[in-house]
Amino acid sequence: MNIPMAKAKAQLSELVKRAQAGEEIHLTRHGEVVATLSAPVRAGGSKGLLGALKGQIWISDDFDELGPEWDEYIK
């Protein structure tokens, strides 16, 4: 939902309630989105990103070694 800033000032309380309920509200100025209201991220709501793919990704020991086809570029 897009709403102009001038209108948002008068309806801020209601817009925050709607955002808490899960709606994403885009505040606009001269037709351009300048801010977004959305539900807060709750603690424990997600695992987080660090370590999320542990054990699911494998990187070769020589992943950063270039093959002979690169020799002319690195002289």
Side-chain angles (χ1 to χ4, degrees), residues 24-42:
E24 194 167 89
I25 299 161
H26 302 284
L27 305 179
T28 62
R29 184 178 288 138
H30 306 294
E32 203 168 314
V33 175
V34 294
T36 300
L37 295 175
S38 62
V41 175
R42 304 226 183 264

Side-chain angles (χ1 to χ4, degrees), residues 13-73:
S13 219
E14 176 61 27
L15 294 174
V16 169
K17 284 180 190 175
R18 291 171 72 170
Q20 285 178 311
E23 190 171 343
E24 194 167 89
I25 299 161
H26 302 284
L27 305 179
T28 62
R29 184 178 288 138
H30 306 294
E32 203 168 314
V33 175
V34 294
T36 300
L37 295 175
S38 62
V41 175
R42 304 226 183 264
S46 83
K47 283 178 24 175
L49 297 177
L50 292 177
L53 296 175
K54 186 175 183 175
Q56 298 179 34
I57 296 176
W58 173 81
I59 299 175
S60 171
D61 291 335
D62 64 350
F63 80 97
D64 60 346
E65 293 179 17
L66 299 175
E69 63 274 10
W70 289 93
D71 286 349
E72 66 181 282
Y73 299 106

